[in-house]
Amino acid sequence: MIMRPLARALDDRLRLSPITRRALAKIFPDHWSFMLGEIALYSFITLILTGVYLTLFFDASSADRVYHGSYAPLDGTTTSAAYASTVRLSWDVRAGLLIRQTHHWAALAFVAAIVLHLSRIFFTGAFRKPREINWLIGVTMLALALANGFTGYSMPDDLLSGLGLRILTSVVESIPVIGTWLVTLALGGEFPSDDMIPRMFITHVLLVPAVLVALVSLHLGILVRQKHSQFPGPGRTEHNVVGSRLWPGYTLRTLALFAWVLAVLFALGGLVQINPVWLYGPFAPAESTSPAQPDWYIAWGDGALRLFPAWEFRIAGYLVPAPFFPGVVLGGLSFAALYLWPFIERWRTGDHQPHQLLDRPRNHPVRLGIGVGALTFYVALVVAAGDDILARLLRVPLYDLLALFRVLVLVLPILAGILAFLIARALRRSEAASLGGLTRADLRQATRPGPRHPVGEDEPEAPTLHRPGERIELWPEGELWRWRYRNEAGQLTLTNNRAVTSEEEAVETAGLAYPGVDRIVVPGPPPPPPPGRMRTALRRWSRAAAAASLLVSLLLERRRRGGDQGPQPSDPAESGSPTADEHVRPGGRP
Amino acid sequence: MSRRTPSKAERVASRRIAGAFLVSAAGAVGFAVTYGLNGGTQWEGVCLAVAFAGLAVGLAVWSRRLVPTGGYVEEHEGFTPPPAEQAMTAAVFRAPESPTRRWGLLGALGFALTALGVAALFPLRSLLPWDRQRPARSLKNTPWGPGVRLVDDQGRPLRPDGVPADTMVAVFPEGSIDVGDAPAFAVRLNPERFIRQPAGGHLGGLVVWSLLCTHAGCPVRLYLKGAARVLCPCHQSSFDLLAGARPIAGPAARPLPGLPIEVGPDGFLRATGDFTAPPGAGFWSRR
Ligand code: HEM
Ligand code: FES
């Protein structure tokens, strides 16, 4: 091995081994929803890789240039250098179209992954203390991703993107007092200016990506420092993280995900045409295309511009034009609400505790209702951005559809939010495992006000006193020490993620992870589980047995509760873990 | 470490993983060959996708079958440090020689840095054009003015009979075809049908309006000749040309500005002034 002397040499100079050992042992929870952020990260890396290739061919200038190349309809025409070079990149540079389309698909996937990741964080309450900083960074990255998507989309100087840029310019111009100054500052003159493409270019390929790289690093640094949050479950407490280690398990898994992302994006980039600028033609101030829709992540703004009525007014004779409200005010409020949400929620609930265990979405009916309502609102706006296409497909008059959308966009979110709220409350009170398990009585019950659940304690951690049979086993392994946790039934064992150098350290780390659990020293490591088929069969068996016992206990519970109606104030919320059967609250605050 | 013989399941998994990596390599070779033969975007994409999908499958099977998933736990220390530790750190800042105790000097330093920060804002002025008017004024002014001839998109001057009855003709100020806020359109209407006179007047039914939608500035290129309406493709504002180009549906709130025209001594159409209102989207201004 050549690596070993090199590793030794580096270690001698930098003392890397302790850091590396800790880093490689970092625990990642095993739940698919934790991988949404990684999809965003890998899409971003794809954007950088493909984008660098594009910069080598793209000519960010509005100067005249004659296109000569294999796209016959434009051969010999004079357009801006930006447009001509994009057509050349698509038709005459080998693999250029593949990279360009992959870049565009990656941009769509990037924003989509960010939005899903953000929803996961929102609905599970992962933004609560101590993770508010990462929430703020995340929302900033979303805003930057939207901005960079827009500049990228506008740079090729084609007709469709030119319309989009003109609309955005108009939205900014609508800001009272400073709007026209902002536009002139950004474009170096009136739209369309000669400076705008070079300026968008440097923003798109340098400024925003550099800030994004810095923020991604900060985001991940904070993540490592704070460690992951996790869903509640057996052996999981507010004081530990349960899952797979970075090396080797998670490394392989996340690299597989990276490769999947690349595979999907290149397949899309190769097979599914996107943004065929040669069909739209170059930008010309007097031309339009119809239909004209932006990329999906801008479409909510476009939908809002379509739906907002023709209201404008004057302040002391000065005009505040119509795009101000759907464009500037709605966008500003949306991001303000996103930024402020953790603080609003803390203020409303008075919950100042740090949280390492996540919420099940159902346990926060209000948060769920608001989130579902907001998502419905933005989805309705995105759909409204296609109203002209819909009207043509459905053969209904456009303005009837517009009127309908104006109502729906206000009513649907409220209905969806209330429905989500009621379902969450029914699920939470009835302890049904899923939607299918809900009875009509449960739903009716949910519409009535019930006992207030104390905030921040909705997933009570049963005190160790009530979890008898748990223990920590410590054993020496040569010079080193290890420990593991075993729960009452003995069917769950969790080994600590790394060996430590002394018994004291083992005791200390075990005490941190499982405060109050009894510790015993055992002579050696537990016997290795039976190999091969036996092992899988056993695992299946034990899983089936666990499921069956859970089912039986649930049934018994139902039967027992059959007599008395309604939720019992002393019930802890449904938590899906065996400890849920413990009807004891640990010092719950009123 | 241990030299135990791999189980059957492990051997099966290993074979599958190696197979997936081979497929991946085949995809990579395929990409190189496609590129070399100029085989087209589709095949290039498919080959790369196969290459990465092979990698993905191999790595995923590897992580699922040959290394453990889950089963580990790491302690979580919590973040509020013990009070003693906080106090120690705070003491470092409160030591007598600590710069944070010299309020006067800190104030002066703050002043200097603020001055520098403000000075650093000045070069931003260079982003604005130097020799032009206030933005609101330059948005209002267009190249149109008394005597400017109307030309079509090829730059040819227009006579009144160059505007047929059944279509709209995009017109530009002579010499400024590419200016963003100048495009206008000429249509021929029946003056008897006018509900409201066009703001810029008309020449026997020949009317010229700004082409830019008063909502957000898209060119209103869809002409519904029977109804004498123009429609904006961006957010579907509709303007009634018989009623002074007033918006009748959609989000636009102001009528299209008109352009006053006359026939010059050379027989060509020319403007007698600028638009009757600032063209395009609204902004913070009186009129
Ligand atoms: C947040 C990350 C990014 C997003 C969301 C993004 C998005 C986009 C989009 C939507 C386009 C239009 C593509 C098209 O023509 O269909 C584009 C074009 C472009 N991007 Fe990016 N991009 C990102 C990062 C980068 C980076 C890091 C670079 C280079 C270092 C880059 C270089 C380019 C270039 C040169 C073009 C113009 C190519 C062309 O379409 O002719 N992008 N980008
Ligand atoms: S720009 Fe014409 S309707 Fe919005």
Side-chain angles (χ1 to χ4, degrees):
Chain A
M1 284 277 257
I2 339 164
M3 292 309 287
R4 206 174 283 168
L6 186 64
R8 178 123 351 120
L10 275 179
D11 207 11
D12 282 347
R13 286 159 182 80
L14 300 170
R15 197 168 188 197
L16 291 177
S17 46
I19 308 171
T20 317
R21 195 165 47 87
R22 282 296 297 248
L24 292 181
K26 174 176 166 47
I27 295 293
F28 289 77
D30 299 305
H31 191 272
W32 60 268
S33 69
F34 286 81
M35 305 195 92
L36 293 171
E38 281 164 47
I39 297 182
L41 176 65
Y42 297 139
S43 309
F44 181 51
I45 295 176
T46 312
L47 278 167
I48 295 181
L49 296 179
T50 50
V52 168
Y53 189 77
L54 295 179
T55 55
L56 304 177
F57 303 95
F58 179 69
D59 185 356
S61 150
S62 48
D64 282 352
R65 184 156 128 194
V66 183
Y67 169 75
H68 285 298
S70 48
Y71 185 61
L74 285 173
D75 191 30
T77 52
T78 305
T79 64
S80 69
Y83 183 77
S85 65
T86 306
V87 175
R88 209 179 80 81
L89 184 53
S90 309
W91 282 84
D92 305 295
V93 176
R94 260 188 216 185
L97 184 59
L98 173 69
I99 303 290
R100 200 183 134 237
Q101 295 193 140
T102 304
H103 190 75
H104 204 131
W105 278 113
L108 302 191
F110 180 46
V111 187
I114 296 181
V115 170
L116 291 177
H117 176 58
L118 184 143
S119 307
R120 187 300 261 171
I121 303 291
F122 179 85
F123 288 119
T124 61
F127 54 80
R128 293 172 301 172
K129 189 177 172 185
R131 296 187 174 76
E132 304 96 327
I133 310 174
N134 253 356
W135 171 268
L136 299 180
I137 295 176
V139 175
T140 311
M141 291 196 288
L142 172 64
L144 290 175
L146 295 183
N148 224 38
F150 196 88
T151 50
Y153 185 73
S154 304
M155 286 189 317
D157 200 28
D158 59 289
L159 189 47
L160 186 58
S161 71
L163 285 184
L165 189 57
R166 176 157 227 158
I167 295 171
L168 185 73
T169 317
S170 305
V171 167
V172 178
E173 268 170 13
S174 75
I175 302 173
V177 188
I178 55 169
T180 51
W181 287 100
L182 285 180
V183 167
T184 319
L185 198 64
L187 303 185
E190 255 177 272
F191 177 89
S193 74
D194 283 344
D195 288 337
M196 72 187 187
I197 291 175
R199 286 188 188 177
M200 284 193 298
F201 182 69
I202 204 64
T203 319
H204 183 84
V205 305
L206 180 68
L207 292 181
V208 173
V211 176
L212 270 175
V213 167
L215 289 180
V216 168
S217 317
L218 200 59
H219 202 69
L220 297 182
I222 291 177
L223 171 84
V224 171
R225 172 90 185 115
Q226 295 186 330
K227 302 188 179 169
H228 274 78
S229 55
Q230 60 184 348
F231 284 106
R236 304 183 191 172
T237 70
E238 287 281 4
H239 313 283
N240 64 26
V241 200
V242 171
S244 302
R245 289 177 301 180
L246 173 59
W247 183 263
Y250 209 79
T251 309
L252 290 173
R253 210 184 314 162
T254 194
L255 286 179
L257 184 65
F258 189 7
W260 271 130
V261 169
L262 286 169
V264 170
L265 291 178
F266 275 110
L268 286 170
L271 297 176
V272 190
Q273 186 183 68
I274 189 163
N275 204 16
V277 290
W278 56 91
L279 297 180
Y280 304 147
F283 175 75
E287 299 296 330
S288 293
T289 57
S290 175
Q293 266 73 30
D295 276 350
W296 75 266
Y297 47 84
I298 305 289
W300 58 278
D302 197 54
L305 282 172
R306 285 167 197 240
L307 294 191
F308 195 81
W311 288 343
E312 35 187 62
F313 57 85
R314 289 178 180 273
I315 299 175
Y318 285 92
L319 178 68
V320 180
F324 179 63
F325 303 97
V328 182
V329 175
L330 179 69
L333 283 183
S334 302
F335 273 93
L338 278 176
Y339 274 118
L340 291 180
W341 180 264
F343 312 103
I344 297 174
E345 191 181 298
R346 180 190 308 166
W347 168 60
R348 291 300 303 159
T349 60
D351 177 8
H352 292 267
Q353 298 300 312
H355 294 276
Q356 313 304 339
L357 286 180
L358 297 172
D359 294 325
R360 292 184 82 186
R362 62 166 69 172
N363 288 338
H364 277 266
V366 175
R367 186 201 288 151
L368 186 77
I370 293 177
V372 169
L375 284 179
T376 314
F377 176 66
Y378 291 105
V379 170
L381 287 181
V382 170
V383 177
D387 59 359
D388 49 338
I389 298 177
L390 273 178
R392 200 176 324 144
L393 286 180
L394 304 176
R395 297 169 191 283
V396 289
L398 174 66
Y399 294 112
D400 293 353
L401 201 63
L402 186 71
L404 178 68
F405 267 121
R406 281 182 175 158
V407 177
L408 284 186
V409 88
L410 296 179
V411 172
L412 273 187
I414 296 176
L415 289 183
I418 292 177
L419 194 67
F421 170 82
L422 289 181
I423 290 179
R425 210 150 84 160
L427 279 172
R428 179 186 189 180
R429 287 185 187 167
S430 73
E431 305 199 4
S434 71
L435 268 185
L438 278 182
T439 62
R440 195 172 299 168
D442 289 334
L443 283 175
R444 213 170 310 125
Q445 182 60 37
T447 56
R448 278 175 229 139
R452 276 189 71 85
H453 286 265
V455 288
E457 301 266 346
D458 37 21
E459 289 286 353
E461 210 181 294
T464 43
L465 197 63
H466 299 283
R467 298 184 316 219
E470 282 183 313
R471 60 194 161 115
I472 300 284
E473 299 168 343
L474 308 107
W475 70 91
E477 210 175 71
E479 305 274 283
L480 303 172
W481 279 80
R482 306 207 57 139
W483 55 267
R484 67 176 190 170
Y485 160 89
R486 253 164 161 332
N487 74 349
E488 49 269 61
Q491 91 277 47
L492 174 80
T493 56
L494 298 169
T495 312
N496 83 318
N497 64 331
R498 63 192 191 280
V500 292
T501 46
S502 66
E503 185 179 355
E504 292 78 60
E505 203 182 341
V507 168
E508 191 197 327
T509 49
L512 278 173
Y514 293 100
V517 175
D518 291 336
R519 288 181 290 268
I520 54 167
V521 175
V522 293
R533 200 174 295 163
M534 267 292 272
R535 183 166 157 195
T536 34
L538 269 182
R539 200 187 302 145
R540 258 186 228 138
W541 262 62
S542 65
R543 227 180 261 165
S549 63
L550 201 68
L551 198 72
V552 169
S553 70
L554 273 177
L555 282 178
L556 287 179
E557 172 90 334
R558 267 275 155 88
R559 165 94 54 87
R560 194 174 59 66
R561 301 218 288 140
D564 47 14
Q565 282 298 313
Q568 299 168 335
S570 67
D571 266 10
E574 213 268 324
S575 76
S577 71
T579 53
D581 289 346
E582 308 270 3
H583 286 270
V584 188
R585 299 199 78 86
R589 288 174 295 128
Chain B
M1 286 193 293
S2 62
R3 302 234 174 272
R4 67 193 170 80
T5 48
S7 69
K8 179 142 175 287
E10 277 173 342
R11 269 178 319 203
V12 172
S14 306
R15 237 176 292 144
R16 234 190 281 164
I17 297 167
F21 288 160
L22 279 183
V23 170
S24 170
V29 171
F31 175 76
V33 171
T34 323
Y35 181 87
L37 301 177
N38 199 8
T41 306
Q42 282 88 350
W43 285 111
E44 288 162 2
V46 167
C47 290
L48 272 190
V50 168
F52 285 117
L55 273 189
V57 170
L59 290 167
V61 175
W62 194 340
S63 81
R64 284 259 292 282
R65 299 267 176 263
L66 298 186
V67 296
T69 292
Y72 287 95
V73 59
E74 180 175 15
E75 75 282 1
H76 211 313
E77 308 82 344
F79 291 101
T80 317
E85 211 167 281
Q86 267 175 344
M88 259 155 41
T89 312
V92 174
F93 285 100
R94 265 187 264 105
E97 75 283 6
S98 163
T100 49
R101 289 179 58 121
R102 302 202 175 257
W103 287 107
L105 289 185
L106 278 186
L109 178 64
F111 181 70
L113 291 180
T114 314
L116 257 177
V118 171
L121 292 179
F122 272 65
L124 284 183
R125 170 67 180 82
S126 301
L127 291 175
L128 293 169
W130 266 116
D131 46 352
R132 253 178 276 161
Q133 325 100 322
R134 304 165 60 82
R137 173 152 296 272
S138 72
L139 281 175
K140 260 182 244 179
N141 294 344
T142 74
W144 293 108
V148 177
R149 292 203 295 181
L150 279 62
V151 298
D152 66 7
D153 54 359
Q154 305 299 316
R156 293 177 301 232
L158 223 58
R159 295 179 187 280
D161 56 9
V163 181
D166 53 350
T167 129
M168 66 153 57
V169 177
V171 296
F172 307 85
E174 189 165 27
S176 311
I177 291 193
D178 284 336
V179 174
D181 55 6
F185 66 96
V187 283
R188 191 173 283 289
L189 302 164
N190 179 357
E192 281 159 23
R193 290 173 67 202
F194 283 154
I195 304 170
R196 191 182 293 175
Q197 290 300 312
H202 64 100
L203 283 182
L206 178 69
V207 205
V208 180
W209 275 291
S210 161
L211 193 55
L212 303 186
C213 181
T214 55
H215 178 233
C218 290
V220 287
R221 285 306 299 242
L222 304 176
Y223 181 41
L224 313 173
K225 131 174 82 80
R229 287 184 188 160
V230 288
L231 184 71
C232 176
C234 286
H235 314 110
Q236 285 78 42
S237 286
S238 169
F239 299 87
D240 185 352
L241 299 185
L242 298 177
R246 196 169 54 88
I248 47 172
R254 274 161 291 114
L256 298 173
L259 187 73
I261 50 165
E262 63 183 9
V263 179
D266 53 0
F268 291 111
L269 291 170
R270 64 183 195 188
T272 59
D274 205 340
F275 287 120
T276 53
F283 49 92
W284 182 255
S285 74
R286 297 172 196 253
R287 267 261 53 143

